[in-house]
């Protein structure tokens, strides 16, 4: 069970099933898994017993769970009414090459909802730790970097920087000690991709950390997880203990001379700590504020040592690439944006949840085909990608394929993967105020452009919303936005104006309706 299922009431459902199976002395195993992605249908129960079809049920309460036990398990028939498509039954979850209707392709989420994340044996049974085995036995550090280069994997944290290049810089950097860092400080409103991977498949991230650490020559890896993710922290700590017990973490890993240990560090939940220099300051026990670059972390990072940072999703891609080869990964997606991308789709989508699609899939396919569009009687108005660093994309642009470059051309970004669907009841001025308010709250205050500029933009947005704005306020908004972009110290301030600028670009009429004088 993951946080979404527990929040929907999965714990009592699990206990009721486990107790009933024990009391009835049934030879059935009741198991927990991570999030399968269909969060709007939680709690989910999948039944797989001999003599009856393997079936997934959604929105299952305690009474319904006991009925499933009586009828599906006892009488061997599917119970009508709350059956939902299962992971291996729904077309869009299947391999695109096998089903023309397929929309999703699960690489990062390959084990989520299938394995018990608390059992390392489940991960190993599905090919887990074969990547690090191949790296140590065949490839060596340079070979690992070469496979990642062939794959075209770009960082999934938002910037899209080629992963192999960052690794190569860190490997070539001189230093008696190097560090590998996993950025699990997920703070975008509506984003929970990384949390779900840590909760549903923690060993995938650990294996990615092992491979990245091996490639750059690190001896220690830090998993930086925000403290607001208690279940993810519990799962990753449990997974590290299991891996250490099997000799997969620690000294002489798999009998080699590779020594590498992992530690979990907790963040206090500041959005700015997702920025890599602020994150490293936080690990060092300092206030989480950014510092100017260069020097870059590969040259001078944690405690002044060469360091490399990748986020959870990036690392979860690494083991399959090493196991299957970089060329395999490069064939998925587009030439410049290879592989897949995980999105947490929320807002007005009928079927909110996690989706993983090949790069190049259009926004419309994600919203309409995978997530079922918006509720009946409403129409899609816009989609927000990239969280506070991104922007809104209007409905008439939804046929745009999802790539790093195409989203930037529209004035948004890929970001870490939050995607909020809006319908015709949503006001774009309110959306701009929400994101700017978030950035003002989360600004660390270190640099004046972000600290003062964001507050001033917020004041103007409020003035317009109150019906007291003038056309000059629109000009001033754009001028402040340009100043913040150019002069802010880190990505938080540089990108904070994006939601405002994108709403001005596509929905100026909604601002004009509020102005005292026409533009």
């Amino acid at each position: 069970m993951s946080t979404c299922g527990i929040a929907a009431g999965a714990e009592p459902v699990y206990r009721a099933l486990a107790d009933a199976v024990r009391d009835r002395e049934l030879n059935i195993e009741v198991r927990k898994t991570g999030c399968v992605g269909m969060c709007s249908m939680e709690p989910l129960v999948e039944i797989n017993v001999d003599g009856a079809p393997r079936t997934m049920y959604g929105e299952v309460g305690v009474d319904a769970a006991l009925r499933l036990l009586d009828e599906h398990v006892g009488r061997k028939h599917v119970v009508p009414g709350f059956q939902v498509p299962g992971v291996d039954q729904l077309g869009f979850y299947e391999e695109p090459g096998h089903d023309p209707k397929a929309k999703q392709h699960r690489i990062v989420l390959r084990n989520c909802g299938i394995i018990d994340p608390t059992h390392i044996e489940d991960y190993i049974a599905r090919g887990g730790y074969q990547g690090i085995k191949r790296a140590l036995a065949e490839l060596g550090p340079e070979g690992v970097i070469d496979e990642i280069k062939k794959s075209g994997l770009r960082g999934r944290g938002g910037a899209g920087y080629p992963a192999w290049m960052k690794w190569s810089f860190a490997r070539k950097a001189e230093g008696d000690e190097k560090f590998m860092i996993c950025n699990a400080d997920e703070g975008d409103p509506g984003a929970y991709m990384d949390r779900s991977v840590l909760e549903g498949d923690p060993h995938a991230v650990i294996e990615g950390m092992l491979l990245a650490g091996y490639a750059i020559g690190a001896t220690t890896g830090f998993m930086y997880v925000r403290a607001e993710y208690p279940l993810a922290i519990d799962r990753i700590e449990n997974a590290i203990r299991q891996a250490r017990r099997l000799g997969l973490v620690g000294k002489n890993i798999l009998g080699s001379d590779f020594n590498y240990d992992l530690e979990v560090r907790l963040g206090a939940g500041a959005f700015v700590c997702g920025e890599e220099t602020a994150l490293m300051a936080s690990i060092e026990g300092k206030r989480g504020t950014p510092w100017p670059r260069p020097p870059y972390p590969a040259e001078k990072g944690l405690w002044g040592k060469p360091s490399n940072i990748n986020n959870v999703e990036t690392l979860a891609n690494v083991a399959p690439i090493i196991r299957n080869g970089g060329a395999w990964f490069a064939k998925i997606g587009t030439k410049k944006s290879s592989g897949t991308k995980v999105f947490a789709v929320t807002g007005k989508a009928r079927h909110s949840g996690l989706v993983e699609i090949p790069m190049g899939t259009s926004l419309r396919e994600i919203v309409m085909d995978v997530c079922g569009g918006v509720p009946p009687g409403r129409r899609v108005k816009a989609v927000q990608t990239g969280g506070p660093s991104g922007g809104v994309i209007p409905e008439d642009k939804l046929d745009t394929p999802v790539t790093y470059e195409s989203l930037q051309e529209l004035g948004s970004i890929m970001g870490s993967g939050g995607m909020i669907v809006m319908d015709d009841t949503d006001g774009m001025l309110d959306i701009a105020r929400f994101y700017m308010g978030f950035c003002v709250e989360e600004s660390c205050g270190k640099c004046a452009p972000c600290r003062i500029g964001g507050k001033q933009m917020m004041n103007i947005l409020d003035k317009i919303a109150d019906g007291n704005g003038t056309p000059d306020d629109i000009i001033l908004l754009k001028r402040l936005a340009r100043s913040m972009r150019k002069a802010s110290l880190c990505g938080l301030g540089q990108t904070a104006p994006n939601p405002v600028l994108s709403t001005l670009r596509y929905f100026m009429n909604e601002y004009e309706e509020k102005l005292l004088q026409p533009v």
Side-chain angles (χ1 to χ4, degrees):
M1 290 181 286
S2 290
T3 297
C4 57
I6 293 171
E11 284 279 11
V13 171
Y14 174 81
R15 285 198 301 272
L17 282 172
D19 291 346
V21 166
R22 185 191 62 242
D23 294 344
R24 299 177 192 186
E25 298 181 345
L26 299 174
N27 184 26
I28 294 174
E29 186 178 8
V30 182
R31 307 194 73 189
K32 300 177 181 178
T33 68
C35 175
V36 73
M38 297 185 289
C39 307
S40 62
M41 301 177 189
E42 291 280 2
L44 291 157
V45 173
E46 186 177 48
I47 298 182
N48 184 16
V49 292
D50 290 339
R54 182 174 178 172
T55 307
M56 181 85 83
Y57 297 95
E59 299 184 57
V60 179
V62 170
D63 291 342
L66 296 178
R67 182 184 167 198
L68 292 177
L69 202 58
D70 289 334
E71 297 186 28
H72 191 119
V73 177
R75 297 171 197 148
K76 311 293 184 190
H77 68 78
V78 175
V79 181
F82 47 109
Q83 182 185 0
V84 298
V87 173
D88 59 350
Q89 297 168 327
L90 200 56
F92 59 68
Y93 277 118
E94 295 175 359
E95 293 293 314
H98 298 166
D99 183 347
K101 297 179 182 177
K103 300 293 182 185
Q104 297 205 57
H105 189 153
R106 292 163 67 96
I107 297 174
V108 173
L109 302 177
R110 60 194 180 277
N111 294 324
C112 291
I114 297 174
I115 67 169
D116 183 339
T118 64
H119 289 179
I120 190 172
E121 296 82 4
D122 281 21
Y123 180 71
I124 291 173
R126 288 179 59 86
Y129 292 108
Q130 291 300 310
I132 187 65
K133 182 180 177 183
R134 181 185 179 218
L136 294 172
E138 301 176 27
L139 300 177
E142 296 289 353
V144 170
I145 293 175
D146 191 47
E147 288 291 347
I148 298 299
K149 183 178 181 180
K150 289 177 186 172
S151 75
L153 176 65
R154 298 169 66 173
R156 299 300 197 243
Y161 199 78
W164 76 270
M165 204 174 288
K166 287 180 73 172
W167 293 14
S168 186
F169 289 148
R171 175 155 188 82
K172 291 174 182 174
E174 295 184 1
D176 58 348
E177 190 175 20
K178 298 179 183 178
F179 298 111
M180 178 64 210
I181 302 166
C182 171
N183 182 352
D185 190 69
E186 187 175 50
D188 293 19
Y192 54 95
M193 306 76 55
D194 292 349
R195 187 198 72 205
S196 296
V197 174
L198 289 174
E199 291 178 352
D201 195 11
H203 286 285
V205 186
I206 289 176
E207 189 173 4
M209 284 286 283
L210 285 169
L211 287 159
Y214 177 64
I216 70 170
T219 53
T220 304
F222 291 97
M223 315 278 294
Y224 186 85
V225 190
R226 55 175 44 211
E228 295 158 324
Y229 285 181
L231 184 60
I233 293 165
D234 182 64
R235 296 258 167 94
I236 200 72
E237 288 180 336
N238 175 66
I240 291 173
R241 287 193 296 272
Q242 292 176 338
R244 188 177 287 126
R245 192 163 57 242
L246 294 185
L248 294 163
V249 169
K251 294 187 178 299
N252 302 117
I253 293 171
L254 292 175
S256 71
D257 58 359
F258 177 41
N259 303 318
Y260 183 74
D261 214 337
L262 290 172
E263 296 181 24
V264 174
R265 294 296 175 95
L266 304 187
F271 182 64
V272 71
C273 287
E275 199 279 337
E276 56 187 18
T277 59
L279 186 156
M280 289 187 292
S282 180
I283 290 179
E284 292 176 355
K286 303 172 184 172
R287 182 180 176 188
T289 57
W291 66 68
R293 296 177 295 178
Y296 291 95
E299 178 187 357
K300 188 176 181 181
L302 200 56
W303 292 293
K305 310 280 188 180
S307 305
N308 181 74
I309 302 178
N310 290 116
N311 87 325
V312 169
E313 185 179 341
T314 310
L315 292 166
N317 271 302
V318 171
I321 290 173
I322 299 303
R323 196 168 63 241
N324 299 312
W328 161 79
F329 190 83
K331 291 179 182 176
I332 304 165
T334 69
K335 187 175 181 180
K336 290 186 177 179
S337 298
S338 59
T340 61
K341 181 75 191 81
V342 179
F343 288 101
V345 185
T346 57
K348 300 296 174 58
R350 292 182 66 190
H351 306 307
S352 59
L354 292 179
V355 303
E356 182 173 0
I357 49 91
M359 293 281 196
T361 304
S362 73
L363 288 165
R364 193 179 302 280
E365 288 175 284
I366 298 171
V367 174
M368 303 306 295
D369 298 343
V370 179
C371 296
V374 294
R378 303 259 60 97
R379 64 175 178 80
V380 177
K381 182 175 183 178
V383 172
Q384 160 83 12
T385 67
S389 303
V392 297
I393 298 170
E395 189 276 339
D396 63 357
K397 308 288 186 189
L398 294 188
D399 290 317
T400 302
V402 171
T403 67
Y404 289 96
E405 289 76 17
S406 62
L407 295 183
Q408 285 177 352
E409 289 173 5
L410 294 177
S412 188
I413 61 170
M414 184 83 72
S416 57
M419 181 180 289
I420 300 177
V421 179
M422 302 167 195
D423 68 15
D424 51 356
T425 64
D426 292 308
M428 291 298 125
L429 178 55
D430 289 337
I431 296 298
R433 291 170 69 208
F434 168 77
Y435 281 110
M436 184 51 69
F438 176 85
C439 291
V440 169
E441 281 287 319
E442 293 292 337
S443 174
C444 74
K446 185 171 182 175
C447 71
C450 178
R451 183 181 68 246
I452 300 173
K455 180 60 177 172
Q456 292 305 314
M457 287 187 72
M458 191 67 211
N459 289 341
I460 295 172
L461 290 170
D462 287 342
K463 180 183 173 186
I464 296 172
D466 290 340
N468 298 317
T470 68
D472 287 343
D473 289 320
I474 301 296
I475 297 172
L476 188 54
L477 266 180
K478 293 179 178 177
R479 189 179 300 163
L480 283 166
R482 286 195 295 269
S483 298
M484 286 183 68
R485 278 179 157 182
K486 288 183 178 178
S488 293
L489 182 58
C490 78
L492 190 154
Q494 292 163 4
T495 60
N498 286 353
V500 178
L501 291 172
S502 63
T503 52
L504 285 170
R505 178 177 176 182
Y506 296 117
F507 299 97
M508 175 62 90
N509 61 311
E510 297 192 21
Y511 285 84
E512 289 174 343
E513 290 171 1
K514 290 283 187 178
L515 298 180
L516 288 173
Q517 307 162 28
V519 175

